[in-house]
Amino acid sequence: MSQELTNVDLLRELEPVAEKLINRHMSMFKDWNPHDYIPWKEGKNYYALGGQDWDPDQAKLSEVARTALVQNLLTEDNLPAYHREIAMHFSMEGPWGYWVNRWTAEENRHGISIRDYLVVTRNCDPVELEELRVEQMTRGFSPGQNQQGDLFADNLFDSVMYVSFQELATRVSHRNTGKACNDAVAEQLLARISNDENLHMIFYRDVSAAGLDIAPNMAMASLYRILKNFKMPGYTVPEFRRKAVVIAMGGVYDPRIHLEDVVMPVIKKWRIFERDDFTGEGARLRDELGKLIAELEETCVKFEEAKERKLDRDAKLAEKRAAKASALAGAAT
């Protein structure tokens, strides 16, 4: 089959695969209700209804857990933009249309439940959260932008390759955030969300696998573009870089996790470096992908070295503060 297929060609060729994978998804998916994972008894009215507005002292989560949970929520909030993106590439007809709507319905639970948890437990400023939600949704989202802001994603392969990695990254982020919360309710909720994200990843990953068999060189080009320019969907959240550093330093999602828990499992599942059906440009890009993975490894090492230096500085600073506090206490007595 020709390597140069239009988006319509790809949709038609992959439609039977999508239908089969949808049926598998529906047999594996376990329904759940957001309200079952919210500690409602901890809730109380805010000022507008005669209660008390939020105070920072009411937050019980650590800075890392709170930052990660709010970042995850704001990422989920951009669901209308994600719906629009996949609808543009998948179409709204037949199995593709069914999946677009079903995926959107399942994803919507995530934002609902995380917001309810945060507002009921008063673990963030609800006014600031609402302002950030509006800002985030106004900015929108497109996975098809590189670091310079240039558009590059324009076909079905670009879309499904991106979400194959993004859904897995989101699953890992939710799972690790749940652990960082040190709260049984939050951990149960985020484990439930992680399970959904895993099933979504499996759908996209296996659609992509079928695409690699149909048009390997074309799919390889998309794979390289996506990993070369990969950005998490929450990159449009205000102060994303600062929050990403807090999350990475806290071990929720860092370069090593991205490489070993997200990038490599998918690459290995597709057997990218074992396949013998890449030719010409496809073969060249497979070699370039090997170099890109080596660069990601270098990034991991640099981050780990920087993290170790910062932790060492923080530990020494804490020792100095403790010694100073002890000296002051001794002088006072």
Side-chain angles (χ1 to χ4, degrees), residues 113-136:
S113 55
I114 296 175
R115 173 168 282 99
D116 283 348
Y117 173 84
L118 284 169
V119 173
V120 167
T121 62
R122 293 180 176 247
N123 269 299
C124 72
D125 182 348
V127 175
E128 180 184 30
L129 186 64
E130 178 62 8
E131 291 172 349
L132 287 170
R133 183 189 70 84
V134 173
E135 175 65 20
Q136 163 77 342

Side-chain angles (χ1 to χ4, degrees), residues 33-268:
N33 297 299
H35 68 266
D36 286 330
Y37 293 84
I38 309 302
W40 299 106
K41 67 179 181 180
E42 297 182 21
K44 57 184 179 180
N45 289 347
Y46 286 86
Y47 180 79
L49 293 180
Q52 177 189 9
D53 274 343
W54 183 78
D55 184 274
D57 291 338
Q58 295 170 341
K60 298 296 185 285
L61 295 178
S62 67
E63 180 190 10
V64 170
R66 184 170 62 254
T67 300
L69 197 53
V70 170
Q71 179 68 21
N72 288 354
L73 171 56
L74 292 171
T75 299
E76 299 285 356
D77 275 335
N78 236 349
L79 182 60
Y82 311 146
H83 174 93
R84 181 176 63 251
E85 285 291 329
I86 64 171
M88 286 171 57
H89 288 113
F90 286 14
S91 88
M92 294 302 295
E93 303 297 327
W96 295 112
Y98 179 87
W99 174 256
V100 169
N101 288 331
R102 175 72 193 194
W103 174 86
T104 302
E106 292 177 8
E107 285 285 345
N108 199 32
R109 289 174 174 156
H110 303 167
I112 291 171
S113 55
I114 296 175
R115 173 168 282 99
D116 283 348
Y117 173 84
L118 284 169
V119 173
V120 167
T121 62
R122 293 180 176 247
N123 269 299
C124 72
D125 182 348
V127 175
E128 180 184 30
L129 186 64
E130 178 62 8
E131 291 172 349
L132 287 170
R133 183 189 70 84
V134 173
E135 175 65 20
Q136 163 77 342
M137 293 184 67
T138 301
R139 292 183 179 189
F141 170 79
S142 173
Q145 286 187 328
N146 59 23
Q147 299 298 325
Q148 291 73 43
D150 301 321
L151 292 173
F152 66 86
D154 61 1
N155 64 47
L156 179 65
F157 281 158
D158 291 337
S159 183
V160 295
M161 290 283 182
Y162 175 80
V163 288
S164 295
F165 294 102
Q166 175 267 314
E167 291 280 8
L168 181 52
T170 305
R171 168 206 165 189
V172 170
S173 179
H174 281 308
R175 181 195 64 198
N176 291 344
T177 298
K179 295 177 181 178
C181 285
N182 195 30
D183 173 71
V185 174
E187 189 164 0
Q188 290 175 36
L189 169 61
L190 291 166
R192 180 68 270 175
I193 292 173
S194 296
N195 288 339
D196 287 1
E197 303 289 13
N198 190 55
L199 290 178
H200 297 161
M201 178 275 293
I202 291 172
F203 175 88
Y204 293 122
R205 183 197 67 193
D206 291 355
V207 168
S208 298
L212 277 160
D213 291 338
I214 292 173
N217 289 335
M218 186 177 179
M220 184 63 234
S222 287
L223 172 58
Y224 181 77
R225 275 197 300 272
I226 292 303
L227 287 183
K228 177 71 174 178
N229 299 283
F230 187 83
K231 291 184 291 186
M232 291 290 281
Y235 81 93
T236 57
V237 172
E239 297 186 3
F240 170 73
R241 288 184 178 276
R242 180 187 66 79
K243 295 171 183 175
V245 170
V246 172
I247 292 168
M249 291 296 295
V252 172
Y253 197 93
D254 61 26
R256 178 67 64 188
I257 292 172
H258 177 68
L259 176 59
E260 295 187 355
D261 294 352
V262 177
V263 174
M264 293 313 299
V266 177
I267 293 295
K268 290 176 181 177

Side-chain angles (χ1 to χ4, degrees), residues 292-332:
L292 178 59
I293 291 172
E295 292 173 4
L296 291 175
E297 174 61 31
E298 291 177 7
T299 299
C300 292
V301 173
K302 290 178 181 178
F303 170 79
E304 287 158 357
E305 291 173 346
K307 180 178 179 179
E308 188 64 29
R309 289 194 297 269
K310 184 179 187 306
L311 291 176
D312 186 56
R313 290 195 302 270
D314 290 348
K316 290 179 180 178
L317 182 59
E319 288 178 5
K320 290 181 180 179
R321 288 174 175 171
K324 183 178 181 180
S326 178
L328 290 174

